[in-house]
Amino acid sequence: MADNGQTIIDLDRKRMQAMAAKDVATLETLLADDLIYAHSSARLDTKRSLIDAMVSGATVYTGVEPSEVKAQDLGDAVVLTGIAQIKVTANGSPLAFGVRFTDVYAKRNGRWQMVTWQSTRLPT
C-alpha cells in the first residue's frame, strides 16, 4: 500500500491556505459535500455553511499555520493530527489561538477530500 501521509499533509496545508485566501474554488474541490467541521468553539459547520460564512465575511480566516502534523494512512482514508495556530475574525471580533486537531481525508472517485475536522483549543 502506498504511503499517502505526506500527500495529505501537503493537501491539508493547501486547504488551510485556501481558507486564509478565501479561495472558494480550491475549497469546493478539497472539501467533501458531506463534510462535518467541528470548530474549537463546538460550533458545527457543513461544507456549505463553512464556505458561506467565509464568503459573507462572518468568519474571516487571516492565517492557519499547522505544526507537528502526523498522518495515519488507512488506505482510502488518512487521519491527520497536529496543532494549528489560527487567526480569525468571527462576527467582527479578531481572535488568535492554538488548537489541537484531528482531520480526516477520504479518497473518493479517485481524489482526496476532507470529510471531518475536529479541533480543541489549547490552553493559553
Side-chain angles (χ1 to χ4, degrees), residues 14-110:
K14 180 179 177 182
R15 190 255 324 157
M16 290 179 180
Q17 291 168 343
M19 289 178 75
K22 238 191 218 183
D23 181 350
V24 173
T26 296
L27 293 173
E28 288 287 352
T29 301
L30 293 180
L31 303 179
D33 289 341
D34 59 348
L35 173 70
I36 299 170
Y37 195 100
H39 296 266
S40 63
S41 64
R43 188 180 95 226
L44 284 178
D45 267 315
T46 63
K47 176 181 179 174
R48 280 280 53 85
S49 64
L50 181 67
I51 291 174
D52 290 350
M54 291 170 48
V55 170
S56 74
T59 304
V60 179
Y61 290 92
T62 55
V64 184
E65 283 298 319
S67 63
E68 300 180 36
V69 181
K70 306 242 183 308
Q72 294 172 280
D73 186 349
L74 306 174
D76 285 339
V78 174
V79 178
L80 300 181
T81 55
I83 291 174
Q85 296 301 318
I86 297 177
K87 293 180 183 174
V88 61
T89 300
N91 298 315
S93 299
L95 303 166
F97 53 89
V99 297
R100 184 167 302 279
F101 68 85
T102 300
D103 192 359
V104 180
Y105 278 74
K107 193 167 197 176
R108 295 178 168 169
N109 300 318

